[in-house]
Amino acid sequence: MSIPLVDQVQQNLLFQQLWTQVTPIKLSNITILQGFPKEKLISDDETNLNKEFVLPIKLKDEITPNMLDQVFKELQGVKRLVLGIVNDDGTVVYYIVHDGVYKPKKN
Amino acid sequence: MSKRASLGQVHKYSLPVHPIEVPNIVPHNPISWVQFLIAYWKGVTVVQTTTADFVNGQFLVSNDEDIKTLWKNGFFGKGIFSRSEATWYDRTQKRLGLGEFKNLTIEEITAIRRDERKKFKKERAKLEAKQAELKKAGIVDPFIEERLELKNLRDKDIDVKVERTIDFRDDDQQLLVDGKLQNLETLELFAAEAFFLKFALNAINIRHNDQPISTVELFNKLSSSKVDDLFIMNYVVYHHYRSLGWCVRSGIKFGTEYLLYKRGPPFHHAEHAVIILPNYKDEQQNEQVAKDFVWLSSISRVIGGVRKNLIIVFVDIPTQEEFDSCETLEEKFKLYKINELLYRRWVANKNRD
């Protein structure tokens, strides 16, 4: 009955955040998710609804720049990642990580 | 009945244990004394028992009645697809155009508010573009009216639409069995919550691999036998605030351990955010785990930004020998002491009170 990490984030994206076509991708070390959000992730985005990539992790997991770099390398040309961070009360919080410097969005 | 009154009725009890109810005593009326005594002797403390499954470190409650009971009696747990109360089924019924119209869930109200905010930003961006153009041409900004309109848009009360747009995605097909929506949402309890319901209230049955698990077995699974175990510290603090009548919920959204609500999320926003640090008897150990100011400052600014108080809870850690020499869990927990510190940023030329 307990749900593995990747499935937990996938279900959350599909049924709470209402993303569509959310599917896992196996990279060499980890499994991440891809899918289309309900609305633009950042309102300043120029193009409409891009495919986004989500890295599921646990709250207490440690991530290193090297690890993120590896993901960006394997995804070739992807400019940002979403961290799907799972807490022990079932909450999934999402943070965006950009590959390099990014102009802050307007508030 | 007003909404507030009915909320008060639904959430009459702050724990799934209900005290005996006794009538008032009128000092000069002996009959009221008798009524009081009868009610007292005959009264039974009601414990509303629920069941959770403990699998791979998660505590999940899947029975609908149990989910309601835990939410109504002290706001325990969180719907895995909801912000707090398990409202996914209602929301999804509406989104898919099934079932009847019910009151808006908090998630829906937030969505409407965000939509309005987006409209405001769009209009603002348009106006700013116009202004920039004129500025280039050297003309003074003539858009006084537009700015006023924009201000109204910003301050407008939200409209609640009664009409619904149905949003049925291919991904939703899997939710339906014979045209009926399956409830995918379960309630998840965090470890301290589950352990409090079990150890302090004995109001929950916890199953592990389909077998009931005892309080001591559960404790051993959740904690190491080390005296400064993280679960023990978190639990001691959780128990402390629950005992004082606070509704304690996870603080992950603001980067803290807990949030304290006076009654519960539907009544008021949380007033206090709690972070937990150990306080050892050995000062050298304290120095090893001490946090720097940057860490404290960043948490403090986030919490200040959402208008909450930041409470640093120092848990006095007993020695390992003291801990090991205790037979029962009660004795072990009694060794820990709580010290609270309210941390607040103070700006000399602004905060004069």
Side-chain angles (χ1 to χ4, degrees):
Chain A
M1 230 189 79
S2 169
I3 318 158
L5 185 68
V6 177
D7 299 6
Q8 204 178 333
V9 177
Q10 182 179 22
Q11 296 234 317
N12 190 282
L13 286 169
L14 268 175
F15 300 120
Q16 181 170 6
Q17 316 304 337
L18 302 180
W19 284 33
T20 51
Q21 300 167 52
V22 183
T23 49
I25 322 176
K26 275 209 155 78
L27 301 182
S28 52
N29 284 322
I30 35 166
T31 304
I32 66 164
L33 294 159
Q34 59 180 0
F36 294 87
K38 188 160 186 265
E39 277 159 36
K40 284 194 234 177
L41 280 197
I42 298 177
S43 49
D44 302 351
D45 279 354
E46 277 162 19
T47 48
N48 240 341
L49 290 197
N50 304 307
K51 189 195 266 183
E52 304 285 349
F53 297 86
V54 182
L55 172 63
I57 50 169
K58 284 187 191 151
L59 183 63
K60 307 269 174 197
D61 282 351
E62 289 179 0
I63 45 169
T64 61
N66 204 0
M67 220 179 107
L68 293 174
D69 193 45
Q70 188 63 36
V71 176
F72 279 118
K73 267 188 190 141
E74 289 194 43
L75 289 176
Q76 281 178 16
V78 169
K79 279 281 158 235
R80 67 179 177 219
L81 260 184
V82 181
L83 302 182
I85 308 168
V86 180
N87 187 29
D88 66 351
D89 73 341
T91 310
V92 187
V93 289
Y94 296 94
Y95 283 85
I96 298 177
V97 183
H98 294 276
D99 187 14
V101 195
Y102 180 82
K103 190 180 165 197
K105 74 166 195 178
K106 193 162 187 229
N107 206 14
Chain B
M1 198 189 280
S2 77
K3 198 182 169 217
R4 184 144 295 236
S6 62
L7 256 182
Q9 267 304 311
V10 172
H11 300 284
K12 187 174 169 194
Y13 300 105
S14 55
L15 292 174
V17 175
H18 304 172
I20 303 167
E21 287 182 41
V22 287
N24 287 336
I25 294 185
V26 185
H28 57 266
N29 177 1
I31 295 171
S32 77
W33 298 16
V34 177
Q35 282 170 336
F36 178 90
L37 287 175
I38 291 173
Y40 184 80
W41 289 115
K42 286 186 108 179
V44 198
T45 316
V46 178
V47 180
Q48 295 217 295
T49 310
T50 47
T51 302
D53 282 291
F54 177 45
V55 200
N56 290 338
Q58 284 179 297
F59 293 91
L60 299 172
V61 181
S62 33
N63 177 292
D64 282 346
E65 281 306 309
D66 285 356
I67 292 176
K68 278 191 196 118
T69 300
L70 287 168
W71 182 254
K72 280 182 191 164
N73 295 275
F75 308 98
F76 288 90
K78 181 188 158 294
I80 58 167
F81 297 140
S82 305
R83 217 160 67 188
S84 48
E85 185 181 4
T87 57
W88 180 83
Y89 189 83
D90 280 0
R91 263 183 289 141
T92 309
Q93 282 272 77
K94 281 183 237 169
R95 181 170 61 81
L96 302 182
L98 310 164
E100 291 162 33
F101 180 84
K102 285 191 192 151
N103 288 335
L104 290 175
T105 60
I106 44 169
E107 285 86 354
E108 289 167 321
I109 294 171
T110 306
I112 294 169
R113 208 176 275 141
R114 290 202 178 134
D115 259 4
E116 294 292 334
R117 178 85 186 144
K118 246 182 234 161
K119 273 184 216 157
F120 161 72
K121 284 183 181 173
K122 227 178 176 176
E123 291 303 317
R124 182 181 65 182
K126 270 191 215 159
L127 180 59
E128 281 174 354
K130 278 187 203 167
Q131 283 170 326
E133 241 169 63
L134 286 176
K135 211 174 169 188
K136 261 189 217 158
I139 303 170
V140 184
D141 175 14
F143 293 115
I144 298 166
E145 252 173 59
E146 279 88 341
R147 269 208 304 268
L148 247 161
E149 251 169 59
L150 206 57
K151 195 170 170 290
N152 289 339
L153 190 60
R154 187 190 63 196
D155 300 337
K156 179 172 113 179
D157 285 335
I158 59 165
D159 283 331
V160 175
K161 293 170 283 183
V162 181
E163 273 170 42
R164 316 198 143 265
T165 41
I166 295 173
D167 168 28
F168 196 107
R169 314 161 304 156
D170 287 346
D171 302 283
D172 295 321
Q173 207 58 52
Q174 56 180 299
L175 296 174
L176 300 179
V177 173
D178 298 330
K180 277 184 81 181
L181 177 65
Q182 302 298 297
N183 193 1
L184 282 195
E185 186 165 57
T186 54
L187 190 81
E188 185 160 342
L189 301 164
F190 59 81
E193 271 183 318
F195 193 72
F196 179 77
L197 289 165
K198 178 80 183 155
F199 165 74
L201 304 181
N202 199 19
I204 197 164
N205 298 311
I206 293 175
R207 289 184 303 215
H208 182 58
N209 300 332
D210 293 321
Q211 297 292 319
I213 183 169
S214 76
T215 308
V216 174
E217 282 170 331
L218 184 62
F219 178 78
N220 291 335
K221 286 205 181 298
L222 293 174
S223 67
S224 67
S225 44
K226 275 172 68 185
V227 68
D228 58 350
D229 179 83
L230 213 57
F231 168 75
I232 299 180
M233 279 177 30
N234 288 353
Y235 178 70
V236 167
V237 176
Y238 183 89
H239 188 116
H240 172 74
Y241 286 113
R242 274 286 181 187
S243 308
L244 293 173
W246 291 95
C247 168
V248 189
R249 298 187 52 84
S250 165
I252 187 186
K253 273 182 282 189
F254 306 108
T256 66
E257 198 63 51
Y258 297 132
L259 293 176
L260 302 182
Y261 291 82
K262 226 176 216 165
R263 285 187 71 186
F267 294 98
H268 306 280
H269 286 291
E271 279 176 74
H272 312 286
V274 174
I275 49 177
I276 303 171
L277 291 171
N279 179 37
Y280 298 97
K281 287 182 176 165
D282 174 9
E283 192 52 24
Q284 265 190 334
Q285 251 180 309
N286 284 331
E287 279 166 22
Q288 276 167 20
V289 297
K291 304 278 189 181
D292 63 8
F293 177 73
V294 176
W295 173 83
L296 189 55
S297 172
S298 30
I299 293 184
S300 156
R301 291 305 292 265
V302 170
I303 298 307
V306 289
R307 306 198 181 288
K308 299 185 199 307
N309 292 321
L310 178 61
I311 301 172
I312 308 172
V313 177
F314 288 97
V315 180
D316 284 358
I317 309 289
T319 62
Q320 188 70 49
E321 293 74 46
E322 287 174 303
F323 183 82
D324 292 339
S325 69
C326 291
E327 296 269 322
T328 64
L329 289 177
E330 283 89 338
E331 287 172 35
K332 284 183 199 287
F333 285 132
K334 274 184 188 162
L335 296 173
Y336 295 84
K337 296 278 179 301
I338 302 275
N339 299 287
E340 293 144 321
L341 202 125
L342 187 77
Y343 183 90
R344 196 171 157 200
R345 180 165 173 263
W346 186 72
V347 187
N349 62 358
K350 278 188 187 164
N351 306 91
R352 294 195 183 275
D353 45 348

